[in-house]
Amino acid sequence: MKRPGPLLTLLAGLLLAVFMLTLNATTGTKNASSSSQESPPSATPQASPPPTGAPPSSSPPPPSRSAPPNADYAGRTDDNSSAVAVSLRGDKAIAYFCDGRSKESWLKGDVKDDGTMKLTGKNGAELNGTLKDGSSIRGTVDLGGQRYAFTADKAVKPSGLYRATATVRGAKLDGGWIVLPGGKQVGILDRDGKPAAAPTIDPESGTVTVDGQTLTASPVTP
């Protein structure tokens, strides 16, 4: 029996080589495909939602309060020695302190939205008061080194504050009157710098007779 020749051996080697190459190519393609399928797609990063805004730390300012209503107030000091009247118009006030004999003072100033007031007059006179629910004013008057506590209730005309100024027979007159609830009057008439008890006025008309001459006292407002 004859042995296969060299040509046959070479042909067998070529077939084996082709088979191996084909097998490797197929396996590589399959592995590459499997690798591509098994790898999960890269996730697209999602934008984080904006943080919920916290409410502002500071509360809105409270609504502004309106100025006290226009009104007049009259009353007496706690020791019953003097009378006090206050006239309010908007954020302004004028007041009169009077003992009906020789001591008096006109004071004026501003009224705050909360009803507090600080009014000042000549020679360091000062009134500090607080409006209570629009029905009364409670406070103090500092005058001549003394302090007088007072309560002035809301006045209904003809109660209130009156003043008259004139020149009679060459004399300068300046009169102030407080008409209290119930009709009682406390006032001083200053004649050329000399104070004395004032004559009674007619609160309905404001007329008063001084040295034979008729004057008219008018309601006082700031």
Side-chain angles (χ1 to χ4, degrees):
M1 183 175 180
K2 295 178 66 175
R3 293 182 180 180
L7 181 60
L8 184 59
T9 302
L10 178 61
L11 180 60
L14 287 173
L15 291 174
L16 180 60
V18 170
F19 175 77
M20 294 300 295
L21 287 174
T22 302
L23 180 61
N24 288 339
T26 303
T27 304
T29 303
K30 183 177 181 181
N31 290 340
S33 177
S34 299
S35 175
S36 176
Q37 291 178 359
E38 291 175 359
S39 300
S42 58
T44 303
Q46 298 292 328
S48 300
T52 304
S57 58
S58 58
S59 300
S64 58
R65 298 175 60 181
S66 58
N70 298 343
D72 299 315
Y73 300 84
R76 300 192 66 90
T77 57
D78 290 359
D79 62 6
N80 205 37
S81 67
S82 307
V84 179
V86 183
S87 177
L88 271 61
R89 296 295 184 273
D91 61 351
K92 303 293 182 182
I94 187 169
Y96 183 53
F97 172 92
C98 173
D99 69 356
R101 297 179 298 277
S102 61
K103 190 177 293 186
E104 66 174 347
S105 181
W106 290 94
L107 311 100
K108 60 182 179 180
D110 297 332
V111 182
K112 296 182 180 180
D113 290 348
D114 61 1
T116 60
M117 65 193 77
K118 180 179 180 180
L119 315 182
T120 57
K122 293 181 179 179
N123 302 318
E126 186 174 295
L127 181 152
N128 289 279
T130 302
L131 182 61
K132 303 290 187 180
D133 300 324
S135 61
S136 65
I137 296 175
R138 179 65 181 170
T140 59
V141 174
D142 292 285
L143 179 65
Q146 289 185 278
R147 173 166 292 181
Y148 303 84
F150 73 90
T151 299
D153 295 324
K154 191 172 184 178
V156 179
K157 287 187 177 182
S159 298
L161 178 58
Y162 298 82
R163 190 173 191 177
T165 57
T167 299
V168 178
R169 297 180 183 178
K172 293 182 178 181
L173 305 179
D174 186 358
W177 290 264
I178 298 173
V179 180
L180 297 166
K184 187 174 182 179
Q185 299 182 19
V186 182
I188 286 180
L189 180 66
D190 187 291
R191 184 184 280 103
D192 281 339
K194 297 179 180 179
T200 301
I201 66 170
D202 178 357
E204 296 294 340
S205 63
T207 56
V208 58
T209 301
V210 179
D211 296 337
Q213 184 169 332
T214 300
L215 307 178
T216 300
S218 303
V220 179
T221 57

